[in-house]
Amino acid sequence: MPALQFALLAVSLLLFLFSTRQFKLPVRMAVWFAGIVMLSWAAWFSLSKPGHAGLFAIVGDFFSHLGNTEDSLLVRSVSGNWGAIGIAIGPTFDAFLVLALLVAGTALIAFTPGEGVERVERPVNIALIGAILGGLLALVIASVGFGGVAKRKVYINTVSAADVIDGDTLRMGDVSLRLWGIDAPESDQLCRSSSGEAIPCGPEAGKHLSEMIAGKLIWCGPPSQEGGQGPDDLPALKETFGRPIATCRIRDGEKETDIAQAMVRDGYARIFEDEDGPKTSYLSEQAQAIRDGAGLHADQQSFLSPWLWRNDPAARCQFLGGIGWDKLNDRLENSCRGFQAANDNAKAEAAPVVQPN
């Protein structure tokens, strides 16, 4: 499909060029209109794919913030990723410099009488200017995050439901981003409904995230840290299992919504924690969600921390027992029975041997 898109684009450009020939006006108009059809066809192929309208949304956001460009997502992205793409500026400029010297040489030769050399030199000069502008545009697109620049700090694009991997991970282009500060339920994790039934809460969390962000303009960058350290102070996004950890926000006009914060507030994710305790600033949102019974929080014991589900078999089995083994499949029950048997054996082996008197 990409080959067809580029072929249609190339054909449209050739038709536009052909329409400049001195044919009769109806013929020129027919050729020009055929070029418009080819161009529209190519545009339809591109814009019908998820995420391809992202650049248009970003440009629209830029023009809507002309009075205060610092709030523009385009300016934020270029400044945030400038360190990563800056290494390409030097070699690119060197190439343009060599071409400029060649044009300067042809311009000097053009001092000879007649316009033969000028007719050759002018298109070359115009092409050079176009190449420079095209190179700058390519750097801007790369800085926005549509290119293949490694170690980007800021990502911006429109996303679809297909870009949601799970309740705390989304895809931006070819990169999967992990939302900072939250932990969504695992794909096999169960929660308990208000009626006591088991709920596959992993898919529920992913569905809620999809409904929240589908079709929206999203920007993701380094998470703000407590103590005043903001995105500009962070050299690059940290990673977990190869996924950059980022704070992602929905841009809707002048309003921005922290996606991770909204997931916790709506009750479809919990704050991130490990053996050392919580690692987030969304404590108040989680407490409010529990009090309100929001999302997966039917009550205080209906949504087990994903960290405990993954790493604490005793807590997981105790939670599942609260749902009722008759409501669960045999695999879960057998896994907990096996864990309990192994635990009992370990306790028996560790117990001191009492010698008879």
Side-chain angles (χ1 to χ4, degrees), residues 264-345:
V264 175
R265 183 190 62 227
D266 295 346
Y268 289 92
R270 294 185 67 106
I271 60 174
F272 182 80
E273 58 181 318
D274 56 21
E275 62 273 8
D276 298 322
K279 300 290 188 297
T280 180
S281 59
Y282 304 134
L283 288 167
S284 60
E285 285 81 4
Q286 177 169 290
Q288 186 65 46
I290 294 173
R291 286 195 298 268
D292 295 343
L296 299 171
H297 294 287
D299 54 52
Q300 293 190 5
Q301 284 78 40
S302 64
F303 183 4
L304 186 67
S305 164
W307 186 84
L308 292 176
W309 179 273
R310 291 190 300 266
N311 300 289
D312 192 336
R316 182 175 66 247
C317 290
Q318 182 180 2
F319 176 83
L320 292 173
I323 295 177
W325 299 113
D326 58 318
K327 300 177 182 178
L328 305 174
N329 58 46
D330 293 338
R331 182 183 64 83
L332 290 172
E333 182 177 2
N334 291 335
S335 68
C336 285
R337 289 186 187 279
F339 162 73
Q340 188 61 47
N343 193 43
D344 291 342
N345 291 336

Side-chain angles (χ1 to χ4, degrees), residues 14-268:
L14 289 174
L15 289 171
F16 291 144
L17 181 63
F18 195 61
S19 70
T20 62
R21 302 295 297 273
Q22 296 302 311
F23 300 119
K24 291 184 178 180
L25 186 59
V27 174
R28 295 177 65 180
M29 287 297 298
V31 172
W32 181 86
F33 183 76
I36 288 293
V37 172
M38 294 295 105
L39 184 61
S40 300
W41 195 2
W44 179 82
F45 272 123
S46 179
L47 296 179
S48 63
K49 294 184 177 181
H52 278 218
L55 184 59
F56 297 102
I58 292 168
V59 171
D61 179 78
F62 173 77
F63 282 105
S64 68
H65 290 85
L66 286 178
N68 188 9
T69 55
E70 291 183 358
D71 287 339
S72 163
L73 296 184
L74 179 62
V75 173
R76 287 192 199 178
S77 180
V78 172
S79 61
N81 289 323
W82 194 252
I85 67 170
I87 57 175
I89 295 177
T92 302
F93 179 79
D94 291 344
F96 289 152
L97 190 61
V98 171
L99 292 176
L101 290 174
L102 292 176
V103 173
T106 58
L108 181 61
I109 297 173
F111 287 172
T112 56
E115 292 193 4
V117 177
E118 286 91 331
R119 292 194 182 96
V120 175
E121 192 270 341
R122 286 169 187 157
V124 173
N125 205 350
I126 294 173
L128 175 63
I129 295 173
I132 292 174
L133 294 177
L136 293 175
L137 178 61
L139 288 175
V140 170
I141 292 176
S143 71
V144 168
F146 291 119
V149 180
K151 302 298 182 182
R152 296 195 294 267
K153 291 175 61 178
V154 179
Y155 297 77
I156 304 177
N157 209 341
T158 52
V159 298
S160 67
D163 294 314
V164 173
I165 298 174
D166 56 35
D168 54 26
T169 310
L170 56 90
R171 186 182 295 107
M172 297 282 273
D174 59 348
V175 178
S176 297
L177 300 177
R178 175 73 154 76
L179 296 176
W180 176 84
I182 67 171
D183 202 359
E186 299 295 309
S187 59
D188 63 342
Q189 185 171 341
L190 297 178
C191 296
R192 189 176 67 249
S193 69
S194 56
S195 61
E197 300 298 321
I199 302 174
C201 44
E204 286 292 321
K207 178 182 177 183
H208 185 75
L209 180 58
S210 298
E211 293 172 348
M212 185 192 306
I213 69 175
K216 303 293 180 59
L217 179 60
I218 308 295
W219 76 268
C220 301
S224 299
Q225 302 291 307
E226 294 183 2
Q229 190 179 28
D232 293 339
D233 303 312
L234 299 177
L237 295 177
K238 295 182 180 179
E239 294 188 358
T240 174
F241 300 106
R243 300 171 301 177
I245 304 173
T247 291
C248 296
R249 291 185 169 88
I250 300 170
R251 167 61 71 88
D252 185 10
E254 296 299 321
K255 181 182 177 182
E256 290 188 1
T257 302
D258 185 329
I259 298 173
Q261 184 182 39
M263 286 293 289
V264 175
R265 183 190 62 227
D266 295 346
Y268 289 92

